[in-house]
């Protein structure tokens, strides 16, 4: 795998910035909040269309954020660090546990282009027909569709927060014409919002999407800069398989050295080299069982 030199036409510093009035405006009515969420989503749509944004990496990181929110909704204590461990440090035959399963579901939901089959892979306990039925419950403009799907799922399965939020984000992505699901709602909603209905739920979803779209755009800009730096230092890496390793860092939130396509010692050396070059970070703060990410 080779990487082109940084070009001004795909300079991450040229990514459009979220208008300040989207975050500073005070809105109370459903109409005003809907206007702001539409503006935030429209801006995010532009950002997601930019070549310099590492799309798969952004979705994987947003999936982790959504999983953390869902785990918190369920009252469990696991946060980002524990969720990364639950997914990336599994041994063959091990089960990820409830929190890890939530993280796996979100990661699978964003890996492949949107389809009933892809959603069924993420939500293994649901039949394809049920997934299609719930998605069809959404009507109207994008955020209303998402809120209606979430309400439909939780009305029939009150404990299915993860399924409801994944399918709501899927409905939103479909309505916006996005090829992949982008996790947005879970991180912006509060636990109490999941028990709301009708206009109250739509208002909560609009508010959630304002904050989540702003954060997603911020992360996209940050990851674009980090990805550009990683691509710039890639030619300095001499290890066989380094190009494929860089490709993994550009698509995954976290990478264990043991998962890289290099011998163990070479993989650890490559990770240390990338840290020294400022291209990746060690994410755990541990001396062993380390994980690395852009």
């Amino acid at each position: 795998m080779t990487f082109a030199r940084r070009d001004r036409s795909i300079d991450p510093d040229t990514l459009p910035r979220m208008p300040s009035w989207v975050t500073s405006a005070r809105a109370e009515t459903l109409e005003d909040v809907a206007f702001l969420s539409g503006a935030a989503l429209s801006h995010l749509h532009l950002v997601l269309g930019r070549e310099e944004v590492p799309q798969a990496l952004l979705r994987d990181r947003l999936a982790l954020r959504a999983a953390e929110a869902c785990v918190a909704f369920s009252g469990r204590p696991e946060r980002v660090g524990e969720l990364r461990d639950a997914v990336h440090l599994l041994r063959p035959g091990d089960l990820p546990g409830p929190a890890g399963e939530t993280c796996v579901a979100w990661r699978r939901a964003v890996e492949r282009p949107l389809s009933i089959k892809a959603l069924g892979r993420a939500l293994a306990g649901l039949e394809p027909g049920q997934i299609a039925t719930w998605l069809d419950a959404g009507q109207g403009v994008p955020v209303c569709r998402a809120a209606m799907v979430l309400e439909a799922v939780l009305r029939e399965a009150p404990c299915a927060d993860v399924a409801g939020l994944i399918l709501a984000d899927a409905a939103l992505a479909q309505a916006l014409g996005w090829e992949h699901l982008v996790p947005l709602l879970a991180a912006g909603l509060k636990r109490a919002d999941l028990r709301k209905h009708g206009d109250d739920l739509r208002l909560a979803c609009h508010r959630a999407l304002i904050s989540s779209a702003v954060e997603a755009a911020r992360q996209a800009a940050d990851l674009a800069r980090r990805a550009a730096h990683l691509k710039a230092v890639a030619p300095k890496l001499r290890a066989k398989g380094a190009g494929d390793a860089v490709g993994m860092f550009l698509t995954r939130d976290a990478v264990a050295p043991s998962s890289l396509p290099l011998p163990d010692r070479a993989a650890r050396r490559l990770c240390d080299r990338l840290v020294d070059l400022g291209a990746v970070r060690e994410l755990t703060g541990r001396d062993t069982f380390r994980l690395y990410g852009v």
Side-chain angles (χ1 to χ4, degrees):
M1 183 180 295
T2 59
F3 300 96
R5 292 188 176 184
R6 180 171 168 175
D7 184 90
R8 181 66 184 172
S9 65
I10 56 169
D11 189 335
D13 292 332
T14 66
L15 282 175
R17 298 180 181 275
M18 182 74 71
S20 60
W21 54 263
V22 173
T23 55
S24 62
R26 292 181 176 272
E28 299 297 334
T29 68
L30 178 58
E31 291 78 7
D32 288 344
V33 176
F35 173 77
L36 292 177
S37 74
L41 288 170
S42 178
H43 176 85
L44 181 59
H45 181 83
L46 294 176
V47 170
L48 294 178
R50 296 292 290 261
E51 180 183 353
E52 58 267 48
V53 175
Q55 306 287 345
L57 173 56
L58 175 63
R59 292 195 305 271
D60 200 33
R61 193 147 289 177
L62 292 175
L64 179 67
R65 188 165 173 253
E68 182 185 34
C70 288
V71 168
F73 291 155
S74 70
R76 297 190 62 86
E78 291 91 346
R79 293 298 178 262
V80 165
E82 291 89 351
L83 292 175
R84 282 188 174 125
D85 286 352
V87 171
H88 295 287
L89 300 182
L90 279 180
R91 295 178 180 178
D94 286 351
L95 296 176
E101 288 176 356
T102 296
C103 193
V104 168
W106 276 105
R107 295 188 73 220
R108 287 179 175 174
V110 304
E111 282 176 348
R112 301 181 180 184
L114 260 177
S115 67
I116 298 298
K117 183 177 180 180
L119 291 170
R121 181 172 174 268
L123 302 170
L126 295 179
E127 295 292 330
Q130 180 63 80
I131 292 173
T133 297
W134 277 333
L135 284 177
D136 287 343
Q139 303 293 329
V141 295
V143 181
C144 288
R145 285 176 63 173
M148 291 172 72
V149 169
L150 179 58
E151 186 170 355
V153 174
L154 295 180
R155 182 172 56 245
E156 295 183 38
C159 295
D161 295 353
V162 174
L165 289 162
I166 285 177
L167 293 179
D169 274 330
L172 180 70
Q174 286 180 331
L176 292 170
W178 294 348
E179 185 177 357
H180 288 81
L181 184 155
V182 179
L184 293 173
L185 279 167
L189 289 169
K190 299 178 176 62
R191 186 176 184 179
D193 292 333
L194 301 181
R195 306 301 170 239
K196 293 178 179 178
H197 306 281
D199 284 349
D200 288 339
L201 179 58
R202 284 194 285 277
L203 180 62
C205 287
H206 280 298
R207 290 191 187 282
L209 288 167
I210 295 170
S211 61
S212 290
V214 168
E215 174 60 18
R218 186 201 66 77
Q219 284 202 39
D222 180 58
L223 290 176
R225 287 189 291 270
R226 293 178 181 276
H229 181 53
L230 176 56
K231 292 176 183 178
V233 305
K236 300 179 181 179
L237 306 173
R238 303 302 180 191
K240 185 178 181 180
D244 290 335
V246 168
M248 292 175 66
F249 281 111
L250 289 171
T251 57
R252 301 184 188 184
D253 162 70
V255 175
S258 61
S259 69
L260 294 175
L262 292 87
D264 287 347
R265 184 173 296 180
R268 291 194 295 271
R269 283 201 302 266
L270 175 66
C271 291
D272 290 340
R273 174 68 170 149
L274 288 171
V275 170
D276 290 340
L277 291 169
V280 304
R281 298 168 292 164
E282 201 287 309
L283 301 172
T284 69
R286 296 187 297 247
D287 293 330
T288 59
F289 300 107
R290 289 181 162 187
L291 297 173
Y292 297 83
V294 172

